[in-house]
Amino acid sequence: MEHLSGAEIVTRCLQEEGVEFVFGYPGGAVLEIYDAIFRQEKFKHVLVRHEQAAVHAADAYSRSSDQVGVALVTSGPGATNALTGIATAYMDSIPMVVISGQVGTSAIGLDAFQEVDMVGCSRPIVKHNFLVKDVRDLATAFKKAFYIAKTGRPGPVVIDIPKDVTINKCAFEYPESVSIRSYNPPSKGHPGQIKKAAQLLAEAKRPYIYVGGGAVQGGAGAQVTELVRLLGVPCTNTLMGLGALDGTDPNFVGMLGMHGTYEANLAMQYCDVLIAIGARFDDRVISVPNQFLSNPKRIVHIDVDPSSIAKRVKVDVPIVGDVKHVLTDLIAVLKEGNQRPHPDALANWWKQINEWRKPDCLLYTPSTELIKPQAVVQKLWEITNGEAIVTSDVGQHQMWAAQYYKFRRPKQWINSGGLGTMGFGLPAAMGAQLANPDAQVACITGEGSIQMNIQELSTCKQYHTPVKVLSLNNRYLGMVRQWQEFFYGTRYSESYMDALPDFVKIAEAYGHVGFKIENPADVEPVLKEAFSPALKERLVFMDFRTDPSENVFPMIQNGKGLNQMDLPPHMRGLQQVPFENNRDYGNLC
């Protein structure tokens, strides 16, 4: 049996797990690990320029592949810089292992240089964490960490390693499997509950399928599509679920929630049987539970995490299990019993939804003088044939990306949905590009978000990641400005950026290609050039100077219901509560 140092064990464990990339930044507490990395060739290390970016890149590497992301940071500030990335992954249930360095075991608790209690700091934002004080426990900790990160509801796991543990030696043997007491992730759903769900769907007059990020992470896109086609019912995706059903599918009624489509939100409010798949009814989706439940409906909720079920709304049929397995079984039951919603009732339900679709809530007024941000995203979709992997930061540009880029498959849309992390987009694009070297990767960002991790343009240059950056630059923190306009009497307190840099020169300084686009007529030519074969291997930064007055519609204000949207100008005055005074819901169908 081999005797290895702790640092060598770390690299061997990562090799045993088939890790391809480690995103990290060295420091004193992890120098032994970096020395071991130098002496191996089975995985590559990506030297980022900030620890937060390391975790975001590892996160997106995981989101755009089926692998566990891995990040490596040093102790103290290195570890705390990683916390935002860890929280981002935790909120969106992304499988990740973060290795942090720690001061020597004899110095723990003595306020040593660069000491921070990483286990304590990260406890609320990880699925699990380890402080490994004995080198003999290191291999088992890694095996458990990868197992926990990717099973059940995925999430980040932190392994905190004191420096002396990386130096000490012991016999190395990587466990083939681990058993963790009290941790038994569910797989198959309860057969009786699945039969109840099938029966409810067959009795429905206004059925609706509501798909969240759990279906994307659970690899259930094909099953979602098969269920929708089998039943012929309308389907909506959350922000995190985009791509679970093809955005061009006629049964897709658009994203729902705070900036969801008119038809998706009203269908959510007025359906009579709702099947929720890997979704958690969060506040940005249903707003106020009492308003959401003011119209009677029966709810089937499928989720791998039992704590997510009935957390915010009463559920009639809870099904705990892997969404892919549960949907496979549900489809089999529906086929076996030939159970389908009543065709006449379903036809009437579609008639109503198509009425809601007619006004086209995403319609905006084009301009020949000002660049409309929606037009940039639409043109990106056309030029990339809807095939690009798209990352985003957080704000108005994020919502326009979600609304106007019709995502065709799971793992194509990568953004921070739960935590809403500015600075996510560029390092995420970098991680997605490394995971998918032949794919077109576009980062849709804003001038505020991009400046939070703009230093990663340097990493992109070093590792030849030719992502295309589209900055929708309206000189404001756009979503903050929109809220100040709507709710604070247009008092734009500290949301205007008066001293923006020349982004083209910044891109060029890092060795990339930059364009400033101020004329709407130049949007299409520049996008075509950026995605042309001539610039295929180059990072291109496009600074689109967009209309600063543009707002994201529809919008649901905090405390309002799904049928109380703020609508775009051409829909103002439209009735949004067609059934509120009509308690005979059977008349609808």
Side-chain angles (χ1 to χ4, degrees):
M1 191 176 293
E2 295 176 283
H3 276 67
L4 304 177
S5 71
E8 291 168 331
I9 290 173
V10 170
T11 59
R12 288 290 293 273
C13 291
L14 296 176
Q15 292 168 2
E16 292 285 344
E17 290 293 337
V19 171
E20 185 183 17
F21 288 103
V22 172
F23 301 87
Y25 201 99
V30 287
L31 282 182
E32 293 291 331
I33 298 175
Y34 271 87
D35 193 51
I37 289 174
F38 185 82
R39 291 182 273 112
Q40 63 85 46
E41 295 181 343
K42 290 192 175 180
F43 63 81
K44 298 172 185 172
H45 181 274
V46 177
L47 175 62
V48 296
R49 301 324 190 232
H50 192 286
E51 290 87 350
Q52 181 185 343
V55 186
H56 289 330
D59 176 323
Y61 175 85
S62 176
R63 293 189 201 224
S64 63
S65 67
D66 293 321
Q67 305 300 314
V68 176
V70 179
L72 171 60
V73 298
T74 191
S75 60
T80 54
N81 281 346
L83 290 174
T84 297
I86 295 170
T88 302
Y90 178 74
M91 291 291 284
D92 291 341
S93 305
I94 305 304
M96 184 190 300
V97 172
V98 178
I99 305 161
S100 57
Q102 184 56 275
V103 300
T105 50
S106 62
I108 292 176
L110 300 179
D111 295 333
F113 175 67
Q114 291 195 333
E115 180 188 3
V116 68
D117 177 8
M118 188 56 176
V119 169
C121 287
S122 65
R123 183 170 290 122
I125 52 171
V126 293
K127 189 174 177 185
H128 196 70
N129 55 22
F130 298 90
L131 171 59
V132 184
K133 291 185 174 180
D134 190 325
V135 67
R136 291 170 295 184
D137 298 331
L138 205 48
T140 302
F142 268 83
K143 189 68 181 180
K144 287 182 177 178
F146 275 85
Y147 176 65
I148 293 170
K150 62 189 176 186
T151 54
R153 180 177 179 171
V157 178
V158 165
I159 307 175
D160 198 33
I161 309 175
K163 182 160 184 175
D164 54 316
V165 174
T166 67
I167 298 170
N168 296 338
K169 289 188 174 184
C170 73
F172 172 71
E173 182 177 14
Y174 199 59
E176 292 186 4
S177 62
V178 286
S179 175
I180 303 172
R181 189 163 55 90
S182 303
Y183 181 69
N184 299 296
S187 177
K188 305 284 281 187
H190 190 283
Q193 295 296 83
I194 291 174
K195 286 182 180 176
K196 283 184 184 178
Q199 186 61 38
L200 268 186
L201 284 167
E203 294 171 355
K205 292 180 177 178
R206 302 185 300 278
Y208 199 37
I209 296 177
Y210 153 49
V211 182
V216 174
Q217 288 302 319
Q223 287 70 27
V224 168
T225 302
E226 185 176 359
L227 181 66
V228 170
R229 300 265 169 78
L230 181 69
L231 299 175
V233 302
C235 176
T236 183
N237 295 343
T238 67
L239 178 71
M240 296 305 299
L242 291 174
L245 179 68
D246 188 335
T248 63
D249 191 293
N251 286 55
F252 181 58
V253 295
M255 182 179 74
L256 83 164
M258 177 175 278
H259 294 294
T261 65
Y262 181 67
E263 53 269 31
N265 284 340
L266 291 186
M268 188 76 167
Q269 183 69 13
Y270 295 113
C271 66
D272 67 347
V273 171
L274 177 68
I275 177 166
I277 303 168
R280 54 192 173 93
F281 294 89
D282 74 26
D283 58 304
R284 291 295 174 110
V285 168
I286 64 166
S287 191
V288 184
N290 288 342
Q291 291 271 8
F292 170 65
L293 296 171
S294 63
N295 292 93
K297 51 179 66 70
R298 308 290 297 277
I299 298 176
V300 177
H301 193 171
I302 304 168
D303 204 291
V304 73
D305 180 5
S307 70
S308 287
I309 296 179
K311 194 172 187 176
R312 299 196 75 226
V313 299
K314 178 180 176 294
V315 171
D316 298 282
V317 183
I319 305 177
V320 179
D322 179 284
V323 291
K324 186 175 181 178
H325 288 158
V326 172
L327 288 181
T328 300
D329 292 343
L330 176 60
I331 290 166
V333 169
L334 288 165
K335 285 181 175 176
E336 184 181 348
N338 197 28
Q339 293 171 293
R340 306 287 188 278
H342 191 280
D344 292 340
L346 186 59
N348 283 329
W349 179 224
W350 270 115
K351 182 180 178 183
Q352 176 60 70
I353 289 173
N354 288 329
E355 285 295 318
W356 289 331
R357 272 176 164 168
K358 279 182 183 175
D360 189 359
C361 67
L362 298 184
L363 191 67
Y364 61 91
T365 305
S367 171
T368 56
E369 297 179 352
L370 294 171
I371 295 175
K372 295 292 181 177
Q374 303 96 322
V376 176
V377 179
Q378 281 184 323
K379 195 56 68 178
L380 173 69
W381 184 78
E382 291 174 17
I383 288 171
T384 58
N385 296 314
E387 293 295 334
I389 294 173
V390 177
T391 72
S392 85
D393 273 297
V394 172
Q396 286 183 314
H397 61 271
Q398 175 193 29
M399 292 302 137
W400 284 316
Q403 290 175 331
Y404 293 92
Y405 199 97
K406 299 178 180 66
F407 296 96
R408 289 180 163 162
R409 62 182 186 278
K411 296 182 177 287
Q412 191 186 359
W413 165 236
I414 296 169
N415 85 120
S416 170
L419 194 65
T421 308
M422 293 175 70
F424 178 81
L426 180 57
M430 194 169 65
Q433 186 76 79
L434 288 168
N436 304 270
D438 297 326
Q440 295 176 319
V441 178
C443 168
I444 298 178
T445 185
E447 79 290 341
S449 286
I450 192 66
Q451 292 185 88
M452 287 199 172
N453 265 321
I454 199 167
Q455 76 284 345
E456 297 310 317
L457 287 174
S458 176
T459 312
C460 289
K461 181 65 178 175
Q462 182 169 341
Y463 295 95
H464 310 292
T465 50
V467 303
K468 313 306 177 193
V469 181
L470 290 79
S471 175
L472 305 182
N473 180 353
N474 62 4
R475 280 76 74 199
Y476 280 95
L477 300 175
M479 194 60 84
V480 175
R481 184 203 57 75
Q482 178 168 332
W483 281 49
Q484 289 172 335
E485 177 182 325
F486 287 11
F487 313 127
Y488 295 90
T490 65
R491 294 184 294 280
Y492 300 129
S493 177
E494 303 301 327
S495 57
Y496 179 71
M497 289 195 171
D498 194 26
L500 289 172
D502 185 329
F503 290 107
V504 172
K505 288 183 177 176
I506 286 181
E508 291 173 346
Y510 280 112
H512 303 304
V513 177
F515 293 110
K516 181 165 74 175
I517 308 97
E518 297 178 292
N519 188 331
D522 295 332
V523 170
E524 183 171 356
V526 168
L527 280 169
K528 283 184 174 176
E529 185 174 355
F531 285 91
S532 69
L535 294 180
K536 183 180 179 183
E537 304 300 326
R538 301 291 302 276
L539 184 149
V540 180
F541 193 113
M542 289 161 276
D543 182 22
F544 293 96
R545 300 303 177 97
T546 59
D547 182 353
S549 66
E550 199 66 30
N551 289 320
V552 182
F553 289 111
M555 178 179 179
I556 300 173
Q557 299 181 24
N558 284 336
K560 295 290 183 67
L562 288 168
N563 56 353
Q564 296 172 302
M565 290 167 268
D566 289 338
L567 295 171
H570 73 282
M571 292 176 67
R572 302 272 162 83
L574 199 65
Q575 176 64 271
Q576 297 184 57
V577 286
F579 313 126
E580 192 167 69
N581 298 319
N582 178 3
R583 292 298 172 191
D584 183 3
Y585 292 94
N587 288 344
L588 175 64
C589 299

